[in-house]
């Protein structure tokens, strides 16, 4: 056998061995990874995503009554070959976050809220029966105590959300429910409840399906002023909380990362079994 042939034979054998061991290593890695990949897939596929976000449009009801969103076409497909709009909006419109900075001098901006505080366990407090009879109903410490009696302790670092059923009124004047004197009437969190959550739990966020963390007639925003300056956040105008269990869901808040923002419209959803 010539010298050249010997070299080519050795190369082929070496390549064959590399391919064998490479394939074996890949197979071993695949087997080793398979359980974790399968577990992640099962977790995702078994969880049901629930959208907690209202569609935002220019006439979406606002706390002050005036529209807070305009959408102006900047480019059109017919003229430019693509579509693009310019938005002008207030931070606190639609389904949105109140960042700590909203009611404090130096709290976290919406961009500074840690990412770990935006994916959290969700506890849903159902006050629909109470709110149906009294639009000024509030989540009270008794409601939290009753929830814990049924579901156990509040999870660490979670969000507690009020389900008053008010999201059903979003397309009507009842969402603001303003009287002849301009006073609005809708449910919210009682100040004592916010204080209880701060003192007895590590809850990081509260959420409501109405226009404000404070109930409609509030003139002092007591819950806002107690809650937000502690670098906790709030969510307002949530939707579809009635589709979630009282406990066990995971909340995901797609908050905008705007420097110095006091809040902003969010895409909020939950994963529930």
């Amino acid at each position: 056998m010539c010298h050249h042939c010997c070299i080519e034979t050795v190369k082929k054998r070496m390549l064959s061995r590399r391919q064998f061991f490479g394939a074996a290593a890949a197979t071993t890695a695949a087997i080793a990874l398979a359980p974790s990949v399968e577990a992640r897939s099962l977790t995702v596929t078994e969880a049901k995503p629930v959208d907690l976000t209202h569609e935002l449009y220019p006439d979406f009801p606002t706390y002050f009554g005036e529209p807070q969103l305009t959408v102006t076409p900047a480019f059109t497909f017919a003229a430019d070959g693509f579509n693009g709009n310019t938005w002008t909006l207030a931070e606190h419109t639609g389904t949105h976050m109140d960042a700590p900075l909203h009611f404090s001098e130096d709290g976290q901006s919406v961009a500074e809220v840690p990412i770990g505080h935006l994916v959290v366990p969700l506890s849903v407090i159902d006050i629909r029966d109470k709110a149906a009879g009294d639009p000024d109903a509030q989540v009270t410490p008794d409601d939290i105590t009753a929830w814990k009696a049924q579901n156990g302790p509040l999870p660490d670092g979670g969000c507690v959300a009020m389900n008053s059923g008010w999201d059903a009124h979003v397309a009507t004047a009842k969402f603001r429910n303003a009287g002849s004197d301009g006073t609005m009437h809708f449910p919210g969190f009682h100040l004592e409840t916010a204080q209880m959550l701060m003192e007895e739990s590590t809850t990081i966020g509260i959420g409501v399906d109405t226009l404000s963390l404070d109930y409609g007639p509030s003139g002092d925003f007591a819950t806002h002023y107690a809650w937000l300056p502690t670098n906790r956040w709030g969510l307002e105008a949530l939707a579809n909380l009635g589709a979630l269990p009282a406990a066990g869901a995971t909340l995901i808040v797609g908050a905008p990362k705007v420097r110095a923002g006091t809040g902003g419209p969010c895409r909020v959803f939950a994963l529930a079994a």
Side-chain angles (χ1 to χ4, degrees):
M1 184 179 292
C2 68
H3 181 70
H4 174 74
C5 293
C6 288
I7 293 174
E8 290 303 312
T9 300
V10 170
K11 284 182 178 179
K12 289 179 181 179
R13 288 178 179 174
M14 290 177 67
L15 179 59
S16 178
R17 286 172 60 82
R18 289 195 192 103
Q19 290 172 334
F20 173 80
F21 286 113
T27 302
T28 302
I31 293 172
L33 287 173
S36 60
V37 171
E38 182 180 8
R40 287 198 298 272
S41 298
L42 285 174
T43 300
V44 172
T45 57
E46 289 179 352
K48 175 186 176 183
V50 177
D51 194 352
L52 305 182
T53 314
H54 287 291
E55 182 180 16
L56 183 56
Y57 48 92
D59 291 331
F60 191 91
T62 67
Y63 187 88
F64 295 105
E66 298 298 323
Q68 293 183 338
L69 168 69
T70 59
V71 179
T72 305
F75 303 94
T76 65
F77 193 83
D80 306 295
F82 63 96
N83 292 310
N85 299 318
T86 297
W87 299 348
T88 303
L89 77 165
E91 292 174 314
H92 300 273
T93 189
T95 301
H96 68 275
M97 171 179 277
D98 281 3
L101 184 59
H102 186 36
F103 271 73
S104 64
E105 185 175 357
D106 57 0
Q108 293 169 344
S109 72
V110 69
E112 293 170 332
V113 175
I115 191 71
H117 290 180
L118 301 177
V119 182
V120 298
L122 178 63
S123 305
V124 180
I125 311 297
D126 191 339
I127 66 163
R128 284 178 290 186
D129 289 344
K130 186 164 58 170
D134 178 10
D136 294 335
Q138 298 184 72
V139 178
T140 65
D142 286 345
D143 293 316
I144 302 297
T145 300
W147 187 94
K148 291 195 289 187
Q150 291 289 324
N151 302 283
L154 291 168
D156 290 338
C159 175
V160 175
M162 174 192 78
N163 175 21
S164 68
W166 218 252
D167 58 331
H169 307 309
V170 72
T172 73
K174 189 172 180 179
F175 197 67
R176 295 185 76 250
N177 205 26
S180 57
D181 63 352
T183 300
M184 292 180 287
H185 297 274
F186 51 73
F189 271 82
H190 196 286
L191 170 61
E192 292 179 358
T193 308
Q195 293 169 333
M196 177 185 186
L197 292 173
M198 290 187 290
E199 294 169 2
E200 300 181 12
S201 76
T202 58
T203 300
I204 196 67
I206 56 176
V208 296
D209 53 3
T210 59
L211 282 170
S212 176
L213 303 179
D214 286 275
Y215 78 143
S218 172
D220 58 6
F221 298 103
T223 296
H224 279 82
Y225 277 113
W227 186 258
L228 296 176
T230 63
N231 274 339
R232 292 173 169 87
W233 48 258
L235 294 173
E236 295 174 336
L238 291 169
N240 300 322
L241 287 168
L244 295 174
T250 298
L251 180 72
I252 301 171
V253 183
K257 197 171 183 179
V258 178
R259 184 177 298 177
T262 71
C266 300
R267 188 65 182 264
V268 184
F269 59 100
L271 298 176

